[in-house]
Amino acid sequence: MTDTFTVSGQVFLRDGAPHQIISGAVHYFRIPRALWEDRLRRLLAMGANTVETYVAWNFHAPHAGAAPDFTAGADLGAYIDLAGELGLDVIVRPGPYICAEWDLGGFPSWLLTDDAAAGALRTSDPAYLAHVDEWFDVLIPIIAERQLTRGGPVIAVQAENEYGSYGNDAAYLRAMADGLRARGIDVLLFTSDGPEPLMLAGGTVPGLLATANFGSRQAEAFAELARARPDQPGMCMEFWNGWFDHWGARHHTRDAASAAEELAGMLADGRSVNFYMAHGGTNFGVWAGANCHDAEDAGAGPGYQPTITSYDYDAPIAEDGALTAKFEAFRDVIAAHTGRTPPAPPSAPVRLAPRTVEVQASLDLGAVLDGVPTVSAPTPRSFERLGIHHGVVRYVTTVPSTTPPIPAADLHLDGLADLATVMVNGALVGRLGRTQADPAYGPAGDGLRIELDQPVNTIEITVTSLGRVNFGRHLRDPKGLAAVRFSHQHLFGWEHAGLDLTTLPELDWSAAEPTTAVGLEPVTGAGVHRAELDLTEVGDGYLALPGWREGYVFLNGFNLGRYWNAAGPQRTLYAPAPCWRVGSNELVVVEFSGAGDSIEIRQDADLG
Ligand code: GLA
């Protein structure tokens, strides 16, 4: 008999028998491929029978024009197959929007260069749907051929994500569901939403299973779901047993006992569950998203809040795979409920011995940008329009002096996203930011008083990007500058030089200063620094950058993510064993505002 997964009244049936889904969210795009199996085995060891993953569109297609990548760490098919081989059922949530504290909620940033689509994200507007169709034509067959109905492990697929928290375009949700069916998805289709009437009204689709997302008060949540959908199985698609962190804000944890109590209640009541997250992993590279609740939102929110690099989430399986007290509590609840003893977990990961590595060569960031081809335009261009997904762009313009001389006035950076360092005639005049997580950056709305007293005045604005908003009405979040004004006058005529830091850019180290970073003493503190280290065996490490302020660290070419000591709460970057090599290893630090001179490898994470 072939495997089956069906719905009968208020229960799921697996191979004809009543079945509770005990699933955990584990995102392949937040874990180095070499660790996929380890993490899935830990999930099995907690007692789960299913793994759930989103698909992050932009991870496969970061730049416009290139065919989506499904190789190496982006090999979604291999991840699903591996889960199936290990005995897990698989739930896929292909978006196209996923939220997930992921840059732009998973949308590729280049979508923002198509004005019609960018103005109609998550709606049935054909300008937007055309992009989704093109993507789904490539993506969905990879999932379809791995469905249970075709001998694979995929038992269910989600349409969109928590749509009721965003909009009410029923034709859009219908198009998502129809688009999945038309491309061969014949397993269970579902939606997931907050357990509230407004959200369920906006986010559910007739004929699709409705599931709910919450972290506590499970009985009330399921009662609310049942009011909307009385005759279907109850499933919590996101059981928030932990939470994520923002730069400049406090680190979140969730008590294991309270989470285990909710879990026990759900299982006893016959519900199905997906832990969000079972294992969070890491927002490596430039992939962390952001939230934005500004003063116009109800309750005058904190404004733009970029998400940190770690996605530990205080989940039962920690960022580095460590099994926490929450893991043990969940495993015990599941074992008691199912009467099954789960398999043993893999052994604990090896850790690198602690050490300090000195910087051996440094480049001034300005000099690196001098070597990049420039783009000229009357108006300052967005990163997206320049083809830069994330990184740094230097905007330069010149203003001649006049007679009589121009009085000093304020320079305004309109639409700044996200951090700017401003130099006039080679002198640092100030820094502005869209977030006040780092006190070095003043509020973006403030102007900077400048004087244009030279025969020809050069204004240089170096902008670095942080995560794009992934939730709510500020989703459309282009990076760079929208306009620059001196007093009320727009300044036109810009030269752009940028570095895309999605992956390590090519760097010419022959011009490097053989001094330490501190010895370089650049005006702005922005530089690129290199250190080498030999290892006789690999293991997990946690990189700390004492004395450094903010930037990215690349290990053997792989972007480990952003560090931001000046903001916190995260103080170390996870550098997993598969990123290291026996023999020589290269660390490259791209620092934006104040370098240190060494990098520490520690044995423990410090998330604040
Ligand atoms: C929502 C989204 C998820 C995630 C969580 C918070 O439920 O659906 O993608 O953003 O919030 O972690």
Side-chain angles (χ1 to χ4, degrees):
M1 165 183 142
T2 57
D3 286 7
T4 59
F5 177 75
T6 52
V7 175
S8 170
Q10 296 185 349
V11 290
F12 293 122
L13 298 178
R14 186 74 172 85
D15 307 331
H19 178 72
Q20 275 174 286
I21 299 169
I22 302 176
S23 174
V26 181
H27 301 153
Y28 63 95
F29 46 86
R30 286 180 153 127
I31 306 166
R33 178 168 178 167
L35 293 174
W36 286 352
E37 180 169 342
D38 176 274
R39 301 310 191 241
L40 293 175
R41 285 194 185 279
R42 287 167 198 270
L43 177 68
L44 280 162
M46 197 166 74
N49 53 31
T50 305
V51 61
E52 177 273 317
T53 187
Y54 279 129
V55 177
W57 181 0
N58 51 13
F59 187 67
H60 298 273
H63 295 107
D69 179 20
F70 287 99
T71 64
D75 193 341
L76 169 67
Y79 183 70
I80 297 174
D81 293 344
L82 174 65
E85 284 155 23
L86 294 174
L88 290 160
D89 284 343
V90 177
I91 295 173
V92 185
R93 302 201 289 164
Y97 165 83
I98 62 170
C99 194
E101 290 69 71
W102 194 256
D103 194 68
L104 202 52
F107 287 133
S109 56
W110 48 259
L111 260 191
L112 301 182
T113 63
D114 177 344
D115 254 0
L121 296 174
R122 308 184 72 192
T123 73
S124 56
D125 189 306
Y128 161 72
L129 285 185
H131 292 289
V132 178
D133 278 336
E134 214 176 296
W135 165 234
F136 271 16
D137 283 346
V138 184
L139 169 66
I140 302 305
I142 294 170
I143 301 165
E145 70 189 45
R146 292 176 169 82
Q147 295 176 103
L148 197 68
T149 45
R150 301 194 200 169
V154 175
I155 57 165
V157 176
Q158 180 174 290
E160 241 275 350
N161 186 68
E162 268 197 347
Y163 187 67
S165 295
Y166 184 75
N168 74 341
D169 187 345
Y172 167 55
L173 270 191
R174 187 79 259 167
M176 292 300 98
D178 291 349
L180 293 170
R181 287 278 183 245
R183 291 175 179 87
I185 299 297
D186 55 15
V187 293
L188 179 71
L189 282 188
F190 66 93
T191 57
S192 74
D193 284 286
E196 291 173 31
L198 179 69
M199 296 181 183
L200 290 166
T204 55
V205 178
L208 268 61
L209 180 81
T211 67
N213 300 341
F214 54 82
S216 52
R217 303 186 8 191
Q218 64 88 16
E220 287 97 314
F222 278 116
E224 194 60 52
L225 178 62
R227 277 177 50 188
R229 292 294 186 95
D231 296 317
Q232 54 143 66
M235 175 154 186
C236 176
M237 192 51 70
E238 292 180 22
F239 172 39
W240 302 320
N241 63 86
W243 202 247
F244 57 93
D245 295 339
H246 292 126
W247 290 118
R250 75 180 172 90
H251 174 50
H252 292 82
T253 54
R254 163 91 188 266
D255 173 57
S258 91
E261 195 183 310
E262 294 288 347
L263 174 65
M266 281 190 258
L267 294 181
D269 292 348
R271 315 298 191 186
S272 286
V273 63
N274 179 42
F275 299 102
Y276 194 96
M277 301 291 297
H279 168 62
T282 309
N283 299 315
F284 289 117
V286 295
W287 293 112
N291 291 84
C292 189
H293 305 283
D294 63 21
E296 297 142 50
D297 291 327
Y304 173 76
Q305 293 182 293
T307 297
I308 64 164
T309 299
S310 172
Y311 203 60
D312 178 85
Y313 214 88
D314 198 33
I317 303 164
E319 182 175 15
D320 61 359
L323 305 179
T324 66
K326 200 177 280 176
F327 175 93
E328 284 170 25
F330 287 176
R331 182 197 54 202
D332 292 350
V333 167
I334 296 167
H337 178 74
T338 61
R340 279 193 299 272
T341 308
S347 52
V350 176
R351 293 192 179 167
L352 291 177
R355 71 194 82 199
T356 299
V357 189
E358 303 292 328
V359 164
Q360 288 133 13
S362 297
L363 298 166
D364 186 294
L365 183 63
V368 173
L369 292 171
D370 288 342
V372 166
T374 58
V375 173
S376 308
T379 57
R381 288 206 170 153
S382 68
F383 281 33
E384 294 77 10
R385 185 125 184 249
L386 294 166
I388 290 179
H389 171 53
H390 268 297
V392 54
V393 174
R394 186 181 63 193
Y395 297 81
V396 181
T397 193
T398 51
V399 183
S401 70
T402 55
T403 315
I406 303 168
D410 284 346
L411 186 75
H412 300 280
L413 309 186
D414 297 338
L416 169 64
D418 294 284
L419 303 172
T421 297
V422 180
M423 310 237 294
V424 176
N425 298 325
L428 178 68
V429 296
R431 302 185 200 262
L432 296 177
R434 189 180 170 202
T435 160
Q436 264 55 76
D438 180 342
Y441 292 87
D446 291 1
L448 286 173
R449 199 80 179 161
I450 65 166
E451 290 202 56
L452 302 179
D453 55 3
Q454 300 295 307
V456 177
N457 299 280
T458 304
I459 301 173
E460 281 178 54
I461 307 167
T462 303
V463 178
T464 55
S465 58
L466 300 167
R468 291 186 183 79
V469 173
N470 59 266
F471 177 80
R473 71 192 185 89
H474 298 288
L475 192 58
R476 185 179 184 174
D477 184 9
K479 297 306 179 184
L481 293 167
V484 179
R485 288 175 295 118
F486 178 65
S487 182
H488 57 277
Q489 188 175 74
H490 282 84
L491 298 183
F492 293 127
W494 294 91
E495 289 281 329
H496 307 75
L499 281 184
D500 193 314
L501 297 174
T502 311
T503 52
L504 181 65
E506 248 178 71
L507 296 163
D508 177 9
W509 289 102
S510 65
E513 303 278 331
T515 56
T516 66
V518 168
L520 188 70
E521 288 184 307
V523 183
T524 63
V528 186
H529 311 275
R530 184 166 184 264
E532 260 180 21
L533 113 122
D534 275 333
L535 291 177
T536 50
E537 59 178 345
V538 301
D540 282 350
Y542 304 88
L543 302 186
L545 292 108
W548 304 71
R549 293 194 86 264
E550 44 141 351
Y552 295 95
V553 181
F554 294 83
L555 169 55
N556 293 322
F558 179 73
N559 189 340
L560 292 173
R562 185 179 176 82
Y563 65 94
W564 201 352
N565 293 327
Q570 179 173 3
R571 300 273 164 208
T572 54
L573 288 176
Y574 177 46
C579 293
W580 299 96
R581 298 181 197 130
V582 171
S584 166
N585 291 269
E586 183 196 61
L587 285 161
V588 173
V589 183
V590 180
E591 161 67 52
F592 298 120
S593 59
D597 54 14
S598 62
I599 302 159
E600 275 179 24
I601 299 175
R602 297 192 187 161
Q603 290 206 302
D604 295 298
D606 182 355
L607 298 179

